[in-house]
Amino acid sequence: MMEASEPKECSAGASGSPPRTTESRDGSREDCDFKQESILGGNEVKSTAVVKYSAAPPPAAYARLQEKTDLKLPPANWLRGISQLGQTGATTLGTSKKSKPFSSFGMAYDFIDCIGNDVDVVSDSENIKKLLKIPYSKSHVSMGVHRVGRTLLLDELDIQELFMTSSQTGDWNWLKELYQRLVDPKWQRKKKSREQFYQKAILSKFLYYSINGDCGAEAVPTPIAQPADTQSQENPMEIKESSWPAPLGTPASVPEDGNPQKQGNVPLGATYVLEQVASTPKEQNLTTFLNEGENSQGLKNDFVRNILWTFEDIHMLVGSNMPIFGGGKYPAVSLRLRDSNKPINILTGIDYWLDNLMCNVPELVMCFHVNGIVQRYEMIKTEDIPNLDNSSFSTKVVKDIAQNILSFLKANCTKEGHTYWLFKASGRDIVKLYDLTTLCEETTEDKYQNPFTMPVAVLLYKVASNMMMKKVQNRKHYGIIRTLLLNCIKLLDQERHPQFVQIIASANYMISELFQLDEPPKQDENGSTLNENSDDSYSEDDLPEDSDENGSFSNGSDPSDDYKAVAVIKSVGELSVPEKYKSTHQIRPSCAFPVCHDTEERCRVVLNYTLEGLKAVDGSIKKESDLPAADPSIPIPLKYADESECTGHKALKKQIALFLDKVGPAHETVKLPSQSGMIPDTWQYQMKLNLIFKASRAYFILSNAATTLQKYGRALRYVKLALQSLDAYCCLINSLSPEVLFFLSQCLALNGDIQLMLAQNASNRAAYQEDYSFQTREDQEILHSLHRESSCQAFSWAIDLYMDLEYQLSVSCKCYEAANELLHSCDQKIHVVEQHTQVLKRLGNSRNEVGVFYMNQAAAVQTEGTASKGITTVEQELWKKSFSYFEKGIQDFETIEDKTNAALLLCNTGRLMRLCAQAHATTGSDLKRGEFSPEEALYYNKAVDYYLKAVRSLGRWEKHSAVWDSVNWELSTTYFTMATLEQDYAPLSRKAQEQVEREVSDSMMKSLKYCDIHTESARQPLCQYRAATIHHRLASMYHNSLRNQVGDDHFRKQHRSLADLHYNKAVKLFQLLKDAPCELLRVQLERVAFSEFQMANQNSNTSKLKTLSGALDIIIDSEYSFQLIQSELACAQAPQGNGHAHHDGNMSENNSSSLHEEEILKLVNIFEARLSFLLFQLIKLLTSKRKSSNSNDDQIRLKNYKHAYSTLLRATADKDTLLVQRVEVILSLLKQLSCRLSVDETGSV
């Protein structure tokens, strides 16, 4: 038993009657969702009805007819179109016209949001009732079934009407023959009995009587003699039956006076494409086709109300025309007329019950009559209908029937775009399902003989478009959208139905939009690619066409009868078995969205669909695909034009100026047809713009991916195609939107990157050339379509693979400059600001590369012209170019506050100044280096200024330690070079010695300031070496000044102290290094010389003896230097012991080692001489001292010195002694002196 829920929420919903909603001005239906749930006896069945749309007014109270009212007499208002009875004034209960064959499509078009995902079934309520009564009824069932996503569309397939059309047109002969062979060999049209027409007429009159306001019957004054047309009025179905539509084989004629809507800038997203159907000119508007074909094709949704009915777990969108009245305990009732002589059977009970459930009507009013004379009324609650006498039925069984039928259909109607035929012959228990699309293709060459083909294609497109239009779209639905669109394209034929070319082009474009070009495929923890649709999708190829997953469906045992059927229900009794087909109840979504394993594969798929869209658009514009014929009087520009004209810098600047002017602010121009004949603001025009832009984006992504892989030839080819696509885009539109300008700047910036990388990798140019020249057939066809609109030469200055390195660098720089100019025309959004920062950074980097290129060129010219005097004009021009690019690059980095890169360019500018300083070095007539010139000092000081600016730009070491260390090293080098040159080539002709010494000292100390010897890094040994060298040079300078200075004891004392200080620091630093023994030995020898110089100015023997003892200590401390020298000599002699096999290969190493040995030999000779001199002087002083004082210590020291002196003399006497042996002797002697002196100091013998 069913219990109607009490009304609580709102008056309209609580009454159980669907409230009235009006149509909006644009003709679209307003959704009006009113929900009420009914739970039937024992929670066996749950039913919920939500009114999506209603054209009927609020229910009026029905007129209770007086007893003995004669219903055979027509009322005064009969057939006058009363709103309470629906838009047609009659209903499907008796006198309405038949349901149109495409009624489900009309509902699907109006409620497109429900199709494909939320709703299981869309159909007329009469079809739903007919299906649920199959196990109880012997009548035939014939329905067409179509699948869209998880939704099934059910329509009545009137075989009789269909074959009547076939007999007139011959279009359906193949199905007629199939029907006769498999079902009824002796088919003939069955005529309706007069009794049927009588029952429909009397019901119609009863409803019109019931709507009268006076609650009484007002008969027509002359009811006896009826005119000839009364017969037709009593049989309205004879007149209003719609004939079966003819196949949509030819395009409908459409008017030519369309009023195109004025369009602004073309949106780039898919939203515009999906809205084209309603916004394009009338001659190409799909809505025009649907509206003009409504009456003939039955595509209009003309139900009084559309209801979203949930029956248990089945969601159905049903159309109903049942009139609803007010009155009684409940404000909503349904009226039924019954003959008292005929009891209600189970079919009638199910019919009444389902109607009330679908429309959420809680009560049924039954009017009984005898031969048209009203007898009495009876009120029945909806939940009591299943328990009426002679018509009782189980609601749970009806629920099982619904679930089983839906499962059967969903498990077998698997192919979108196919028309399935569900057929049960009259009096038979077998239900068969045929695939008419497959049968049509097998029996006839023309697959468009199926009249459902075009409506299905349009519906597939509309559902996919609706899913694409949703702002928040789950990506797991992409597979469904793609399958819908692919099936739509498969159903349409461009040549046969040119009015659908727009759908074909738009469908291909939307499929391309499904692929996210700039998103890499997601990976799981193991690194394998994930398919987001894998759990909710399947491929039609995975299952056979007649799959039987659970063994519930049979293809029949009689091959002569059932072999054409997709599936068969052997007995309708199976439908009453609970959960008979439950395992396949959940419909499987469409094919999985394809997984692209890399960016190139994804972009190639996009380009394939884009090409198909371009072909569709081009085919609709002009049937012949030839380009406009060339004018024989105009010469064709050839590729091998004069290189000076093609690659000159003036020509490059001119081309860029023309390009920027073209994409600049919009100009008021007359809208003229394009080169291919497209008219602006038509759908072809807008669609081709979108397709071209999509192709350019795909090529851009391909180029970016190739750049990442360092395939620069391939990257340049792809970015060339992207820019050529944008060239064609620019030719089609007068002004570019900020989005297009932004993307164009991205392409130019990427092209600049590629040209720069090609310039830096010129050694692999042959491989790059091969990749650049390759072109796929797909690329050629897309380029052919682009050439229909443009010559694609606007970017010719930027997209070729140039052989000239200088021009290639210039092109890279100009690409960045053009990209920067374009960004100024875009809205300053966050992504634009970020892109502007990136472009300026790349521009600064490119200008740095060009500046370095010119600087290296100048250095090469300087090296070649060393022998010639003066600075050439070529050098000066190269300096100016290099400086100009460095200066502009610094400005670029300062604009974006990139202090690090700005410091690097300042550093390079300082290096350029040093190069200029080197070029200004003076040479004498003998080609020897002259004095340090003022020009050199000027440029070195400029270099110092730029380095100091770089230091200030960095601020602190922590910001970028590596750059900070590099800049400080260069600054230290500049100071050191300047000081060294001024010290070695002192400008004494212009300055005094004291001034030169002050300047050298000042520069050396500044160099020492920026030379970090304490921080551990790879450069620390170099810094220590330079610091040691600076101290050595300063000590030598003060030493030399001390020797040459006369008078002024204060300065002499100061210089002596400074010389000694710097010598000690130099020794300490050199001792930290293991690869500078010669430098350490040289410093020690100079210290010895410095001590000898001091001794020469001393008068007392005691002072001299002290000074000489100190010098001997310095000699003894040189032992560490000789140990390092001994190790180096041993390493140098080791390869020589391996024979002469590697003599030629080690020639350069031998030369360098021989030079090193010469230096060591010189130092050893000096060392032996100075040691011999010191020992001799010490022996001389100690001998004279012994005569005056007989000290035991002095005697021991004298003895040791004599022994060492004799040993040294014997060692140096043999001139043929090897250097290694001499070093060994010196080491031995130094050890003896060191040991004996230490013994002397302890006071023991």
Side-chain angles (χ1 to χ4, degrees):
M1 294 293 292
M2 176 181 69
E3 298 179 0
S5 59
E6 290 295 326
K8 293 180 181 180
E9 298 181 3
C10 59
S11 59
S15 68
S17 79
R20 184 187 182 199
T21 61
T22 58
E23 294 191 4
S24 57
R25 293 183 181 179
D26 59 358
S28 63
R29 299 189 172 207
E30 297 178 351
D31 287 353
C32 187
D33 296 353
F34 289 85
K35 178 178 179 181
Q36 186 168 347
E37 183 173 335
S38 299
I39 303 177
L40 309 185
N43 289 332
E44 293 180 350
V45 177
K46 294 181 180 180
S47 174
T48 303
V50 178
V51 179
K52 302 293 289 185
Y53 165 80
S54 176
Y62 69 93
R64 191 179 184 93
L65 303 184
Q66 298 178 0
E67 192 176 350
K68 306 300 182 181
T69 299
D70 189 355
L71 297 179
K72 295 189 294 297
L73 301 179
N77 61 348
W78 193 38
L79 303 179
R80 291 188 181 180
I82 298 176
S83 59
Q84 282 83 353
L85 299 180
Q87 295 176 344
T88 62
T91 69
T92 55
L93 293 177
T95 60
S96 70
K97 60 184 178 179
K98 289 182 61 177
S99 176
K100 293 180 180 179
F102 295 107
S103 59
S104 67
F105 289 87
M107 284 190 288
Y109 293 161
D110 284 345
F111 301 101
I112 202 71
D113 283 338
C114 300
I115 308 304
N117 189 32
D118 299 331
V119 173
D120 295 302
V121 178
V122 178
S123 184
D124 185 347
S125 61
E126 296 299 311
N127 295 332
I128 300 295
K129 292 188 294 182
K130 188 177 292 187
L131 284 176
L132 298 186
K133 291 187 294 184
I134 284 180
Y136 304 99
S137 174
K138 296 296 183 181
S139 62
H140 86 286
V141 175
S142 177
M143 292 187 189
V145 185
H146 297 88
R147 175 188 160 208
V148 178
R150 69 185 296 267
T151 302
L152 296 177
L153 279 69
L154 304 180
D155 294 281
E156 183 179 3
L157 196 60
D158 192 334
I159 295 297
Q160 294 187 9
E161 185 65 32
L162 180 65
F163 292 164
M164 285 295 295
T165 303
S166 175
S167 62
Q168 298 173 6
T169 63
D171 293 328
W172 285 83
N173 286 331
W174 63 273
L175 183 57
K176 183 177 180 180
E177 294 173 359
L178 179 68
Y179 180 83
Q180 291 175 336
R181 185 171 71 253
L182 300 179
V183 181
D184 189 0
K186 299 179 180 180
W187 173 84
Q188 59 181 0
R189 182 186 176 103
K190 297 179 181 180
K191 297 182 180 180
K192 295 184 179 180
S193 65
R194 185 175 182 82
E195 177 64 20
Q196 289 177 307
F197 291 121
Y198 168 75
Q199 293 296 337
K200 291 180 180 180
I202 198 173
L203 175 58
S204 177
K205 295 172 186 177
F206 165 71
L207 292 174
Y208 276 93
Y209 274 125
S210 300
I211 205 64
N212 278 339
D214 58 359
C215 299
E218 297 180 359
V220 179
T222 56
I224 301 175
Q226 296 184 9
D229 60 350
T230 305
Q231 176 76 20
S232 62
Q233 288 182 346
E234 291 184 0
N235 304 330
M237 292 299 291
E238 288 289 322
I239 299 174
K240 297 183 179 181
E241 281 188 2
S242 59
S243 60
W244 188 268
L248 302 177
T250 56
S253 60
V254 292
E256 298 181 357
D257 54 342
N259 294 322
Q261 297 180 2
K262 188 172 183 180
Q263 302 279 343
N265 287 338
V266 180
L268 300 179
T271 303
Y272 165 74
V273 180
L274 308 181
E275 294 175 346
Q276 291 181 90
V277 175
S279 63
T280 49
K282 189 175 181 181
E283 64 268 24
Q284 299 293 348
N285 200 339
L286 298 178
T287 307
T288 303
F289 161 74
L290 296 177
N291 291 338
E292 292 182 355
E294 286 172 355
N295 294 330
S296 62
Q297 305 297 338
L299 296 174
K300 185 177 181 181
N301 179 11
D302 55 2
F303 291 102
V304 174
R305 63 187 60 83
N306 299 119
I307 304 166
L308 186 60
W309 182 40
T310 302
F311 187 59
E312 280 295 311
D313 58 343
I314 305 173
H315 305 282
M316 291 176 273
L317 178 63
V318 298
S320 174
N321 290 325
M322 184 182 76
I324 300 176
F325 299 87
K329 180 181 178 181
Y330 293 98
V333 297
S334 61
L335 289 181
R336 301 289 177 167
L337 183 65
R338 293 297 302 175
D339 191 336
S340 297
N341 298 324
K342 297 179 180 180
I344 300 175
N345 57 31
I346 190 172
L347 295 177
T348 305
I350 293 175
D351 196 83
Y352 292 171
W353 181 67
L354 290 175
D355 268 330
N356 277 19
L357 281 186
M358 292 180 195
C359 296
N360 206 24
V361 176
E363 198 167 25
L364 168 68
V365 176
M366 192 87 73
C367 178
F368 293 92
H369 74 95
V370 176
N371 295 327
I373 305 300
V374 175
Q375 300 297 318
R376 61 186 175 87
Y377 280 83
E378 183 179 346
M379 305 288 287
I380 304 173
K381 292 183 178 180
T382 302
E383 62 264 31
D384 295 334
I385 295 177
N387 301 312
L388 294 177
D389 295 337
N390 301 321
S391 66
S392 63
F393 60 90
S394 171
T395 58
K396 186 175 180 181
V397 172
V398 177
K399 175 202 71 172
D400 293 335
I401 294 170
Q403 291 177 336
N404 285 327
I405 290 177
L406 180 63
S407 297
F408 173 77
L409 293 176
K410 286 191 171 184
N412 295 284
C413 301
T414 57
K415 296 182 179 179
E416 287 172 313
H418 281 228
T419 298
Y420 294 90
W421 179 28
L422 183 70
F423 178 77
K424 172 186 172 294
S426 179
R428 300 286 298 274
D429 287 341
I430 299 177
V431 182
K432 301 177 183 179
L433 183 69
Y434 297 94
D435 185 348
L436 292 186
T437 302
T438 303
L439 295 176
C440 177
E441 293 174 352
E442 292 176 355
T443 57
T444 178
E445 296 180 357
D446 187 2
K447 66 178 180 180
Y448 303 101
Q449 286 286 327
N450 184 352
F452 287 99
T453 299
M454 297 304 108
V456 170
V458 174
L459 180 60
L460 293 174
Y461 173 79
K462 288 174 72 71
V463 172
S465 301
N466 180 69
M467 295 178 74
M468 287 283 288
M469 289 281 287
K470 293 180 180 179
K471 294 181 179 179
V472 181
Q473 179 59 256
N474 194 332
R475 289 193 62 179
K476 70 179 182 180
H477 294 158
Y478 280 12
I480 299 175
I481 298 173
R482 174 178 173 271
T483 306
L484 291 172
L485 293 172
L486 287 176
N487 288 325
C488 170
I489 296 171
K490 188 188 300 183
L491 292 173
L492 298 177
D493 182 79
Q494 182 173 346
E495 295 183 358
R496 189 179 179 93
H497 308 105
Q499 73 271 33
F500 291 106
V501 174
Q502 181 183 357
I503 285 185
I504 297 173
S506 181
N508 279 290
Y509 175 74
M510 284 193 289
I511 295 175
S512 70
E513 280 290 301
L514 295 175
F515 293 86
Q516 302 296 320
L517 293 176
D518 50 355
E519 292 183 8
K522 295 183 179 180
Q523 295 183 343
D524 59 12
E525 296 178 355
N526 298 326
S528 59
T529 303
L530 292 175
N531 180 6
E532 297 184 9
N533 312 88
S534 58
D535 296 335
D536 302 307
S537 58
Y538 78 104
S539 173
E540 292 179 356
D541 298 332
D542 296 339
L543 296 175
E545 184 174 331
D546 299 325
S547 63
D548 185 9
E549 293 182 348
N550 62 350
S552 299
F553 309 133
S554 171
N555 287 334
S557 58
D558 185 0
S560 63
D561 183 47
D562 296 335
Y563 75 98
K564 293 289 185 181
V566 175
V568 176
I569 299 177
K570 293 182 179 181
S571 174
V572 294
E574 294 181 357
L575 297 175
S576 301
V577 179
E579 301 182 357
K580 176 68 175 178
Y581 307 126
K582 184 178 180 181
S583 61
T584 56
H585 176 72
Q586 296 297 329
I587 192 166
R588 298 161 298 186
S590 296
C591 298
F593 193 71
V595 176
C596 298
H597 298 285
D598 55 23
T599 301
E600 184 169 1
E601 181 183 353
R602 185 164 60 250
C603 291
R604 277 297 168 191
V605 173
V606 170
L607 288 171
N608 178 62
Y609 289 114
T610 302
L611 175 59
E612 293 302 319
L614 288 172
K615 287 180 179 179
V617 174
D618 293 340
S620 68
I621 301 168
K622 189 182 296 185
K623 293 299 181 183
E624 60 276 8
S625 60
D626 297 333
L627 295 174
D631 189 346
S633 62
I634 300 176
I636 300 176
L638 299 178
K639 198 66 177 177
Y640 49 84
D642 185 5
E643 187 176 354
S644 62
E645 298 179 2
C646 299
T647 61
H649 290 280
K650 293 183 178 179
L652 179 60
K653 292 181 179 179
K654 183 178 180 181
Q655 288 175 332
I656 293 176
L658 292 174
F659 159 72
L660 292 175
D661 181 67
K662 180 178 180 179
V663 300
H667 303 286
E668 291 295 331
T669 57
V670 180
K671 293 184 177 180
L672 299 175
S674 68
Q675 181 174 303
S676 64
M678 284 194 306
I679 300 174
D681 296 332
T682 58
W683 75 265
Q684 291 100 331
Y685 174 81
Q686 307 288 7
M687 178 58 69
K688 190 157 189 178
L689 281 176
N690 283 278
L691 289 168
I692 290 175
F693 190 78
K694 187 68 178 181
S696 65
R697 286 195 61 83
Y699 283 126
F700 171 78
I701 299 298
L702 282 171
S703 179
N704 199 20
T707 303
T708 304
L709 297 174
Q710 299 182 358
K711 304 291 184 181
Y712 301 120
R714 186 190 308 173
L716 183 61
R717 168 164 55 91
Y718 285 138
V719 80
K720 175 181 180 180
L721 289 167
L723 289 171
Q724 286 177 326
S725 301
L726 288 174
D727 184 10
Y729 187 95
C730 295
C731 290
L732 291 175
I733 195 168
N734 293 328
S735 61
L736 301 181
S737 64
E739 291 84 358
V740 178
L741 289 174
F742 178 75
F743 176 65
L744 181 54
S745 72
Q746 286 183 310
C747 291
L748 286 170
L750 178 59
N751 189 75
D753 293 343
I754 296 168
Q755 294 287 5
L756 184 61
M757 297 310 298
L758 286 170
Q760 293 177 352
N761 297 272
S763 59
N764 202 19
R765 193 178 297 275
Y768 297 147
Q769 181 67 48
E770 183 179 355
D771 287 343
Y772 175 76
S773 303
F774 176 78
Q775 199 171 49
T776 66
R777 183 176 182 82
E778 192 176 64
D779 296 337
Q780 292 174 355
E781 292 181 357
I782 291 177
L783 193 59
H784 180 77
S785 179
L786 298 177
H787 281 156
R788 292 172 61 90
E789 314 301 338
S790 168
S791 61
C792 300
Q793 294 298 317
F795 299 96
S796 59
W797 53 272
I799 53 181
D800 284 337
L801 183 58
Y802 303 102
M803 298 294 111
D804 185 357
L805 184 60
E806 178 184 355
Y807 188 76
Q808 203 164 35
L809 289 171
S810 299
V811 167
S812 172
C813 195
K814 295 301 179 183
C815 285
Y816 294 131
E817 291 176 1
N820 186 40
E821 289 293 330
L822 291 174
L823 287 175
H824 288 301
S825 303
C826 300
D827 299 332
Q828 294 303 309
K829 298 179 181 179
I830 295 178
H831 65 279
V832 175
V833 174
E834 292 176 353
Q835 177 69 8
H836 186 248
T837 301
Q838 291 297 322
V839 168
L840 280 179
K841 182 174 289 187
R842 297 178 186 179
L843 178 58
N845 179 58
S846 177
R847 283 172 168 166
N848 176 55
E849 292 290 337
V850 180
V852 170
F853 171 79
Y854 286 128
M855 183 170 64
N856 292 337
Q857 291 288 98
V861 172
Q862 180 179 328
T863 302
E864 293 174 358
T866 303
S868 62
K869 296 181 180 180
I871 301 172
T872 63
T873 307
V874 176
E875 280 184 277
Q876 293 178 346
E877 289 297 323
L878 291 172
W879 292 343
K880 291 178 181 179
K881 290 180 181 180
S882 180
F883 180 76
S884 175
Y885 278 101
F886 284 144
E887 193 173 37
K888 292 177 181 178
I890 292 170
Q891 293 175 358
D892 294 332
F893 287 124
E894 289 178 347
T895 302
I896 59 176
E897 297 181 354
D898 189 345
K899 296 181 179 180
T900 302
N901 281 317
L904 289 174
L905 262 73
L906 286 167
C907 194
N908 283 339
T909 309
R911 188 174 300 173
L912 177 64
M913 297 298 105
R914 288 162 57 188
L915 181 65
C916 295
Q918 293 172 12
H920 284 83
T922 57
T923 55
S925 57
D926 54 355
L927 300 180
K928 290 185 179 181
R929 180 69 165 82
E931 291 183 349
F932 185 67
S933 65
E935 290 80 7
E936 287 183 272
L938 174 65
Y939 281 108
Y940 276 121
N941 285 321
K942 286 184 177 182
V944 168
D945 291 339
Y946 282 111
Y947 287 128
L948 289 174
K949 287 181 181 179
V951 172
R952 289 193 295 269
S953 176
L954 291 174
R956 298 191 307 274
W957 176 84
E958 292 81 4
K959 288 186 176 181
H960 205 299
S961 58
V963 178
W964 174 275
D965 292 341
S966 177
V967 172
N968 277 271
W969 173 256
E970 294 293 334
L971 179 57
S972 173
T973 301
T974 305
Y975 277 124
F976 178 75
T977 304
M978 186 165 54
T980 301
L981 291 174
E982 191 169 7
Q983 183 180 14
D984 295 343
Y985 308 99
L988 297 177
S989 62
R990 296 182 289 107
K991 299 180 181 180
Q993 179 69 31
E994 292 80 4
Q995 183 180 358
V996 172
E997 290 178 357
R998 283 196 303 270
E999 292 178 356
V1000 170
S1001 176
D1002 183 60
S1003 297
M1004 287 291 187
M1005 295 307 295
K1006 288 180 178 178
S1007 177
L1008 198 59
K1009 173 184 176 182
Y1010 294 102
C1011 188
D1012 185 6
I1013 62 175
H1014 303 292
T1015 304
E1016 294 184 2
S1017 63
R1019 192 179 277 119
Q1020 186 183 23
L1022 291 176
C1023 294
Q1024 291 174 342
Y1025 182 85
R1026 173 166 293 171
T1029 304
I1030 290 173
H1031 286 298
H1032 178 201
R1033 280 185 163 270
L1034 287 174
S1036 298
M1037 183 183 71
Y1038 291 128
H1039 183 185
N1040 182 66
S1041 177
L1042 184 64
R1043 285 186 302 182
N1044 299 329
Q1045 196 173 26
V1046 179
D1048 200 342
D1049 293 336
H1050 172 71
F1051 283 108
R1052 289 178 61 83
K1053 185 177 180 180
Q1054 183 181 13
H1055 288 171
R1056 185 184 302 109
S1057 175
L1058 289 173
D1060 187 57
L1061 174 66
H1062 287 295
Y1063 274 134
N1064 289 330
K1065 289 184 176 181
V1067 169
K1068 290 180 180 179
L1069 289 171
F1070 277 129
Q1071 285 177 343
L1072 296 175
L1073 303 172
K1074 295 183 179 180
D1075 56 351
C1078 295
E1079 288 80 355
L1080 176 59
L1081 183 58
R1082 187 178 291 109
V1083 173
Q1084 297 285 40
L1085 290 174
E1086 288 189 17
R1087 291 179 66 192
V1088 172
F1090 182 67
S1091 297
E1092 293 176 357
F1093 172 75
Q1094 289 179 308
M1095 185 195 69
N1097 296 326
Q1098 293 173 346
N1099 297 322
S1100 66
N1101 291 338
T1102 304
S1103 299
K1104 289 182 179 180
L1105 183 62
K1106 183 178 180 181
T1107 303
L1108 289 174
S1109 298
L1112 184 61
D1113 291 339
I1114 295 174
I1115 289 291
I1116 295 173
D1117 289 341
S1118 301
E1119 181 182 358
Y1120 177 69
S1121 300
F1122 281 101
Q1123 289 176 349
L1124 295 176
I1125 291 174
Q1126 185 183 31
S1127 300
E1128 287 188 5
L1129 291 175
C1131 293
Q1133 289 181 354
Q1136 298 178 5
N1138 297 331
H1140 303 283
H1142 304 288
H1143 177 73
D1144 296 336
N1146 297 332
M1147 184 68 69
S1148 59
E1149 295 182 6
N1150 291 338
N1151 291 337
S1152 61
S1153 62
S1154 62
L1155 293 175
H1156 192 57
E1157 288 182 3
E1158 291 180 3
E1159 183 181 4
I1160 294 175
L1161 182 60
K1162 291 180 181 179
L1163 292 174
V1164 168
N1165 290 333
I1166 296 174
F1167 184 86
E1168 290 175 343
R1170 301 331 301 160
L1171 178 58
S1172 176
F1173 174 77
L1174 288 177
L1175 290 174
F1176 177 76
Q1177 292 297 327
L1178 283 170
I1179 292 171
K1180 183 179 178 181
L1181 288 175
L1182 287 174
T1183 301
S1184 62
K1185 184 178 179 183
R1186 189 180 60 175
K1187 296 179 180 179
S1188 58
S1189 62
N1190 190 8
S1191 173
N1192 189 29
D1193 292 340
D1194 290 342
Q1195 291 180 1
I1196 295 173
R1197 290 171 62 191
L1198 179 61
K1199 182 179 178 181
N1200 292 334
Y1201 291 154
K1202 286 182 178 180
H1203 181 267
Y1205 184 68
S1206 63
T1207 303
L1208 181 61
L1209 289 178
R1210 285 193 299 271
T1212 57
D1214 187 1
K1215 301 298 182 182
D1216 297 330
T1217 306
L1218 295 178
L1219 179 60
V1220 178
Q1221 296 175 347
R1222 294 175 65 181
V1223 171
E1224 291 176 354
V1225 171
I1226 292 174
L1227 279 174
S1228 176
L1229 187 61
L1230 292 178
K1231 288 180 181 180
Q1232 293 176 11
L1233 290 173
S1234 176
C1235 292
R1236 292 180 179 182
L1237 288 178
S1238 61
V1239 171
D1240 294 342
E1241 291 176 357
T1242 58
S1244 60
V1245 181

